């Protein structure tokens, strides 16, 4: 079966429309993923926006209409920034697109003078813009930007459930699998060269498969009798945690990155799913149901007993845990409380913050430890959304159907 990928370049050929944001007309580009509306979610999720959080007013100025539109959309979805008209903003971002695709952003404070200049270089000018914008974000907020990252997700755009990758605005979307079957739950290798996912194409049953994005080669990691799912690389890429049921009840296993040296970490009669590694690779959190509904449990990556996370919530159905890669104190998860909601647990306070009204599942942290990508059912299709956990701002990222987000940020 052919592994040739379809790449959709949506930079200049995307649909354009004007949207007013904070008194500024924004040229929004809408492509495969349907770049986030400059007004955020269009009514499908109640937005508990925290207007009391101090934000930074920025005005984007550029001779390039497309570059200006991209930067305005990026800073709009972030949450730490407000778009403003030139002269009214705290900072004017004067962006220039040079020959060869280099993007330069001169950051000019309202008080006058040039505070600093950010320069982005990459294989194409879209990525260069993301890198320059990330430098601006980090210098103005002291927290890394996430714009230059890559998303992996599941889409049924071609009728079958396939794995796709894209930049955060969807200007380049690439179909990574053409299995013509169910492909689900992608996760990146730490170096961004591989995706591991659950696929049915080989046997008609759920197998764990690793796809090399460079060579296009695929490796069967786990194709045992029963269900093979939940695979995720350890932070250093040397191990894989996954849920296998070939002995009967699903158990948590850890193997080398190639699937060898497999050993079980659990041996209990309860169902298990969705393992996630701690940033240091020493602990694993997963969903487990020894008391009825699935709840969150922690176990040492070298083995031991399961310890329940007391999330301060009533024992509602909880699942889809995702450990914060920047702050090991925080774990995002889905809790079924008046519908499925996104929540974040803190080891420090032994309590959880539930983002009421943010109905969603499969949370996935960005590299900045502030933003969460998640899946929300909008109408009859799952779509990807972005949550800023500080301001609680929500932005819709897709329009053609997508779920199961996974995020990768390339090393600088």
């Amino acid at each position: 079966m052919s592994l040739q990928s379809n790449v959709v370049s949506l930079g200049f050929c995307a649909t354009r429309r004007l949207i007013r944001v904070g008194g500024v007309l924004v040229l929004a580009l809408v492509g495969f993923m349907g770049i986030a509306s400059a007004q955020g979610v269009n009514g499908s999720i109640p937005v508990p926006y925290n207007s009391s959080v101090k934000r930074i007013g920025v005005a984007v100025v550029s001779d390039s209409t497309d570059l200006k539109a991209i930067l305005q959309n990026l800073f709009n979805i972030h949450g730490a920034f407000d778009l403003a008209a030139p002269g009214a903003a705290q900072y004017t971002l004067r962006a220039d697109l040079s020959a060869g695709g280099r993007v330069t952003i001169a950051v000019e404070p309202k008080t006058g003078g040039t505070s600093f200049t950010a320069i982005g270089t990459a294989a194409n000018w879209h990525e260069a813009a993301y890198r320059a914008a990330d430098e601006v974000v980090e210098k103005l907020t002291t927290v890394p930007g996430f714009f230059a990252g890559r998303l992996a997700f599941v889409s049924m755009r071609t009728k079958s459930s396939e794995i796709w990758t894209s930049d955060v605005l969807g200007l380049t979307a690439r179909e990574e699998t053409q299995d013509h079957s169910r492909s689900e739950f992608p996760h990146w290798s730490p170096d961004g060269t591989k995706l591991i996912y659950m696929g049915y194409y080989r046997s008609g049953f759920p197998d764990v498969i690793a796809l090399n994005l460079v060579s296009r080669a695929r490796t069967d990691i786990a194709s045992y009798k029963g269900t093979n799912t939940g695979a995720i690389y350890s932070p250093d890429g040397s191990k894989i945690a996954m849920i296998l049921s070939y002995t009967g009840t699903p158990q948590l296993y850890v193997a080398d990155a190639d699937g060898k040296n497999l050993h079980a970490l659990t041996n209990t009669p309860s169902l298990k799913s969705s393992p996630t590694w701690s940033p240091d690779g020493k602990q694993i959190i997963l969903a487990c149901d020894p008391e009825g509904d699935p709840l969150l449990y922690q176990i040492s990556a070298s083995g031991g007993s399961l310890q329940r996370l007391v999330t301060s919530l009533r024992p509602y159905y909880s699942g889809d845990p995702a450990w914060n890669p920047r702050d090991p104190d925080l774990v995002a998860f889905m809790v079924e409380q008046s519908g499925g909601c996104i929540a974040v647990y803190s080891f420090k306070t032994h309590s959880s913050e539930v983002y009421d009204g943010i109905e969603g599942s499969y949370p996935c942290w960005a590299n900045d430890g502030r933003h969460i990508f998640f899946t929300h059912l909008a109408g009859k299709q799952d779509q990807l959304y972005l949550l800023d956990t500080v301001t609680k701002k929500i932005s819709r990222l897709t329009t053609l159907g997508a779920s199961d987000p996974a995020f990768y940020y390339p090393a600088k």
Side-chain angles (χ1 to χ4, degrees), residues 249-298:
T249 304
Q251 304 295 345
L252 173 64
Y253 287 80
V254 168
D256 293 342
D258 58 3
K260 298 178 180 178
N261 295 320
L262 181 72
H263 63 281
L265 296 189
T266 63
N267 184 21
T268 66
S270 56
L271 298 177
K272 304 164 189 72
S273 65
S274 309
T276 181
W277 296 83
S278 61
D280 63 6
K282 294 181 179 179
Q283 299 288 322
I284 294 173
I285 290 175
L286 69 160
C288 192
D289 69 346
E291 301 175 19
D293 284 338
L295 300 172
L296 301 186
Y297 285 79
Q298 183 176 347

Side-chain angles (χ1 to χ4, degrees), residues 317-356:
Y317 181 112
S318 299
D320 308 336
W323 220 312
N324 189 309
R326 183 174 168 83
D327 185 353
D329 178 56
L330 303 177
V331 178
F333 63 102
M334 184 277 291
V335 58
E336 204 169 84
Q337 180 173 301
S338 301
C341 297
I342 301 297
V344 174
Y345 170 75
S346 168
F347 283 96
K348 188 178 299 182
T349 63
H350 300 290
S351 63
S352 299
E353 179 176 7
V354 178
Y355 293 88
D356 294 324

